Structure formats: structure tokens, C-alpha cells
Amino acid sequence: MSTVQSESGDFLFDPDAVTPSAGSLIGNAYVPGEGEEYDIVRPSDGKVVRSERGATADQVDRAVRAARRSHATGVWADATARQRAQVFRRWADLVEANAQEIVGIESLVSTRLATEVATRDIPVTVALIRYYGEMIDKVEGEIYSSAHDVWSLGVREPYGVVACISPWNVPLLLATTKIAPALAAGNAVILKPSEFTAYSIKRVAQLAIEAGLPADHLAVIAGTGPEAGHALVTHPDVDYVAFTGSTATGRQVMSDAALSGPKPVSLEMGGKGPQIVFADADLDAAARIIASSVVRNAGQICYAGTRLVVDRGVAEAMIDKVGKLVGGTVAGPTWSKATTLAPIVSQRQRDRVTALLGEGVARGAEVLTGGVAIERDGFFFEPTLVDRLTVDNPVVEQEVFGPVLAIQPFDSVDEALELAEHADYGLGAALYTRDLATAMRASRSIKAGTVWVNQFGVNDIIAPVGGYKKSGFGKDFGMEGLLKYTHSKSISVKATV
């Protein structure tokens, strides 16, 4: 179904000329791993970039202890808000100045199209750094009503050492979403990104240190979850854990943090977002938005709107419009300007998408278009529309994490809202209607952290985002995304003894 791109496309960079630094970034130095070995593979063509060894528990321990010592000096936490803000401004400028390099090392080993990294991921990353730099001196205390000879104060203080765990699907941006506010709040940060996509954020962390952040205040650990990730979450000197990733891994992180602390945790996990199209919607506009959301990053986005909940009266028209749009996508390497359909991250993940679809069909689903891997180098999958689904079909129940849209027709507003509810997930949802009353009722009814009306996936960095149900708890973005990295302390001062 998808157009297969010629290899003579207009490339933004030569992938064979990109040689990112290996190992973990600890103390502003690249440290070779001593643990489990794994291959770094380019999803665009299946080529092995290199074999690496992940960080061991001992290496994680050294990074955490260095962060604890650095935090204890007060060199960062006790710096004035404006001093920290100045570092953030320099950091943002450096990321902007090194954008071309970062595009290459981000797109080389991830599913992120270089065109999107250049026009979206890096600009939003820079905006996040600048935003949290500006918000540092907006963290205010409080004075509570008390006796005339007592000052009762509320202040906020950093936790100390924060562990951040980020996923492979949007590596640079989702890592920055955590480390920027945690650092702005005055903490030291140890980041454990996916071992397969750690290159870009290591470079951005280097730039933070170049901008003036104390070297031991930010480390990036390259290693596997069972070894490096577990050692980080359970380390006694880690005070707070922020996680983005799968629900299964999030459960394990929460359990490890509870048993080794307990210590506070924020979790941003999976999604199975509905996109509800009412009969009065602008069908052409809705179809363009929905088609784009299906193929964006090949469906490998946690808040992806992967369920089309559509009025039965316009279902046939909507399916036809969306099908034609996704059928015009161009599969190809992330470094080509012509590519509009990204690869799946790995052969293993593509096999999982195939298996889930097969199970769905065995239980009565009908694949209307797509449904198979694209035969070319790399790990690509055709955009897929699936109909005749029951609510307990795995294509509806599970987060496929591929370019797969489940179709669920409805006959009334009540049925639409019932279908929109998911037993497990509540990260994001969208609805399309010209009727304000319907929009207000539906947006208040849907149990999701974000609801878009006549749009999808448009997040302003000032607005907090997070999940309901098993999609997690705690917020990223906005002031809430900063305050979660602080303790609230009450201080009572009596004027005389």
C-alpha cells in the first residue's frame, strides 16, 4: 500500500559518516560500559552501528554517589534562581547552535524522521529548556495565617538526586521533558535512556555542562533496564524516580522504588487513545488529522490516537478518506527528506505488531488495508485499518505501538462515550464536532489526561500532561512538571522565646 522510496532520495545527512560517542556520560566524560553487551541497530536499514556494553551496577553507583556529593555542596541547589536561569539560557543557545549534529545522532538510531527532529523535536527541546529556565524564579513560597508573633511559612526545596528513565520512541524530547525541570528545581539528575537511543541526549547533556551546570550534577547512563535501570531505581541515594515507558516496565519501576525506599515516583505510561468523530464534524479535516496521527512515528507514540470511534452514518466516508491518506505515505530511511513513514524500532517490535494483528483477525477482526510488513531494508510496516472489532479484541485492548487504527462505529453519543472509555488506559483522546455542547459533554466525560477538540497531539509546553488509570500519574510540562521535583516544607518561626 505504501510507496517505497528510492534509495537515491535527497538525504539530510550521510548515516555512515555519523559516529556518536559510545558509553555513559559520567562527570562530563564518556565511560565505556562493563556490563551486558548489545548491538545498536539502525531501524531504517537494519545495519549495526556498533556493539556496546552497558553500565554495571557499580558504574551506576559511582555516578549516583558523585551526584550526591555534588548536590551536598550546594553549588547548584543553593545558587540563586537567576544564576541557574543564566545556565539554562546558555544551554538552550548551545543546543540550537549544535542542532545539525543532534539531528544526525538522533535520527541515525531511532525512528524519528530527520525532518521532524529538525523542525519539531529540537525546537521544542530548546523551548522546554528556555521555559524552565524562565520558571526557576517563579517557584514561590507561601505565608500562612497564624498567631501575630509567629511566621508560618511554606517553602519548596529540591529532592536531591533524581533518577529519570526515558524511552526510545521520541528519545531527545522525552528525556529533556524530565531532566530540564528536575535540574531547574535544583536537583542533581541521573538519566537512564533506552540503551538503543541514548546518543542525542548524551550530547545535549554535555552541552548543559558546557553551559555551566556542575559536571557531576547530570549523568547519562547507557545500559539495559534489568541491570543499569534496576540499579538506579533501587539505589539508596536516589530520592525521586521519574519514568516514561511501557506500563509493564512502569509497574516494575514502582515496585522497585517502593521496596528500596519507599521513594516518590511519577509514571507516564501507555495509551490507547480514542478519536471520536461525530456526524457533524468537518470530515476532511478530521481525516487529515487522524491519518497523520496514525503514521506519525509509525504509530510509536504513547498518546497516539489509535482508535477511530466514528458515527456509523459517516463511518464509510471516514474510512475511505483516512485509507487514501495513509496509503500515500512514503516509507524510507529517517535521513531522507522524502520519507513520511518512519520505520518500526526493531524486528522484535515489528513481529509483535504482526502477531497482535494476527490474533485480532483470529478473533473476528477484518483488516481493511495494510496489515503486513513492507519488504525492504529496515523494519517497516504498512499503515493499517482494522474493522469488525469487539471491545475485548487485542487490537482494541492492547497498545500495538505500530501504524494501526482500530475502527469502532457508534449509533449515539452515549455509545460513543462508552466506546471511548478504555479499561486500562487514559492518556489522551480527541473528538471532532461543530457542536459546542457535545464537545463540552464529551471532553468532561472522557477519563484521560488530555482531550483535544478538533485537533490532535497539539501540546503547549505550559500545559501539564499526564495520564489517568494505568497510563500513569504525575505531570510533565508546565509548572506542575517542575514542582513535582520539589519537596514542600513548612517552617514556623516564633518572634520571641
Side-chain angles (χ1 to χ4, degrees):
M1 179 185 67
S2 298
T3 304
V4 177
Q5 178 187 308
S6 163
E7 291 303 331
S8 61
D10 190 1
F11 296 159
L12 285 121
F13 61 88
D14 177 3
D16 295 323
V18 179
T19 55
S21 300
S24 296
L25 182 70
I26 302 174
N28 201 25
Y30 282 105
V31 179
E34 301 170 355
E36 182 180 345
E37 187 173 17
Y38 48 85
D39 289 336
I40 306 295
V41 178
R42 302 191 318 211
S44 292
D45 57 13
K47 292 184 179 179
V48 176
V49 176
R50 61 160 65 99
S51 293
E52 290 210 28
R53 297 179 72 89
T56 62
D58 285 343
Q59 290 178 304
V60 171
D61 177 65
R62 291 201 290 273
V64 174
R65 288 181 182 277
R68 171 63 69 196
R69 289 193 298 269
S70 185
H71 180 73
T73 67
V75 64
W76 182 248
D78 293 342
T80 67
R82 292 180 181 179
Q83 286 173 327
R84 277 183 268 150
Q86 189 175 35
V87 171
F88 268 62
R89 286 193 292 272
R90 288 197 294 264
W91 183 17
D93 291 344
L94 286 169
V95 173
E96 216 165 35
N98 289 272
Q100 186 173 353
E101 176 195 3
I102 296 167
V103 168
I105 56 180
E106 173 81 335
S107 297
L108 180 73
V109 294
S110 79
T111 61
R112 300 299 294 147
L113 302 184
T115 50
E116 290 190 13
V117 176
T119 60
R120 181 180 183 274
D121 295 9
I122 290 178
V124 176
T125 294
V126 170
L128 272 170
I129 295 170
R130 288 191 173 134
Y131 172 78
Y132 284 115
E134 292 169 359
M135 297 308 291
I136 291 173
D137 64 359
K138 310 301 187 296
V139 178
E140 298 176 343
E142 296 179 272
I143 299 178
Y144 307 119
S145 179
S146 59
H148 293 301
D149 62 343
V150 173
W151 285 344
S152 186
L153 312 174
V155 299
R156 288 190 172 272
E157 298 177 344
Y159 273 99
V161 178
V162 172
C164 297
I165 300 175
S166 59
W168 51 260
N169 58 324
V170 191
L172 173 64
L173 183 53
L174 291 180
T176 307
T177 299
K178 301 210 178 304
I179 66 174
L183 289 169
N187 298 284
V189 174
I190 311 294
L191 172 71
K192 211 300 283 184
S194 166
E195 64 270 30
F196 303 115
T197 56
Y199 295 135
S200 61
I201 196 60
K202 285 191 291 187
R203 182 68 181 117
V204 169
Q206 264 192 318
L207 295 175
I209 295 167
E210 184 179 332
L213 183 74
D216 286 331
H217 253 67
L218 179 57
V220 182
I221 301 297
T224 64
E227 188 169 20
H230 176 76
L232 180 59
V233 172
T234 59
H235 198 287
D237 279 334
V238 165
D239 302 299
Y240 187 100
V241 180
F243 169 84
T244 294
S246 72
T247 300
T249 304
R251 286 192 182 108
Q252 186 63 57
V253 166
M254 188 172 181
S255 173
D256 288 346
L259 294 175
S260 63
K263 59 191 72 170
V265 174
S266 63
L267 303 173
E268 198 262 79
M269 301 186 287
K272 193 70 181 179
Q275 301 214 57
I276 310 171
V277 179
F278 293 97
D280 69 328
D282 182 333
L283 300 186
D284 289 329
R288 287 193 297 271
I289 296 169
I290 292 166
S292 175
S293 72
V294 172
V295 299
R296 182 185 297 171
N297 211 36
Q300 298 164 112
I301 297 177
C302 52
Y303 62 80
T306 52
R307 293 188 292 131
L308 173 57
V309 180
V310 58
D311 187 294
R312 197 177 303 275
V314 298
E316 185 176 347
M318 276 300 299
I319 292 167
D320 181 64
K321 291 175 186 294
V322 173
K324 287 178 179 177
L325 289 166
V326 300
T329 53
V330 180
T334 56
W335 46 82
S336 170
K337 290 181 181 179
T339 299
T340 57
L341 179 66
I344 303 297
V345 71
S346 65
Q347 180 66 53
R348 179 181 177 182
Q349 176 60 21
R350 188 171 69 173
D351 289 346
R352 179 180 178 275
V353 174
T354 301
L356 277 172
L357 279 173
E359 186 181 347
V361 169
R363 293 174 59 175
E366 178 186 0
V367 174
L368 301 180
T369 186
V372 295
I374 297 173
E375 294 302 324
R376 58 164 294 134
D377 290 340
F379 315 118
F380 294 85
F381 201 90
E382 289 193 350
T384 301
L385 274 59
V386 187
D387 199 2
R388 301 187 182 279
L389 292 159
T390 56
V391 294
D392 61 348
N393 191 287
V395 178
V396 173
E397 281 191 327
Q398 297 190 43
E399 189 178 31
V400 177
F401 236 54
V404 177
L405 183 66
I407 299 164
Q408 298 175 276
F410 65 84
D411 294 302
S412 68
V413 174
D414 287 342
E415 185 182 9
L417 298 180
E418 183 178 347
L419 288 172
E421 286 302 316
H422 193 280
D424 292 332
Y425 295 122
L427 191 56
L431 58 101
Y432 304 86
T433 180
R434 290 184 171 94
D435 185 84
L436 181 59
T438 300
M440 292 180 68
R441 177 188 172 191
S443 60
R444 293 300 298 268
S445 170
I446 295 168
K447 295 181 177 65
T450 301
V451 178
W452 295 280
V453 179
N454 296 323
Q455 57 181 343
F456 178 82
V458 181
N459 291 323
D460 193 315
I461 60 174
I462 67 173
V465 298
Y468 283 25
K469 306 178 188 177
K470 295 178 184 176
S471 289
F473 50 84
K475 299 290 186 178
D476 290 322
F477 295 101
M479 181 57 93
E480 284 190 57
L482 189 157
L483 293 181
K484 75 178 184 182
Y485 296 109
T486 64
H487 281 293
S488 175
K489 176 186 284 185
S490 296
I491 301 174
S492 183
V493 180
K494 188 173 176 61
T496 57
V497 178

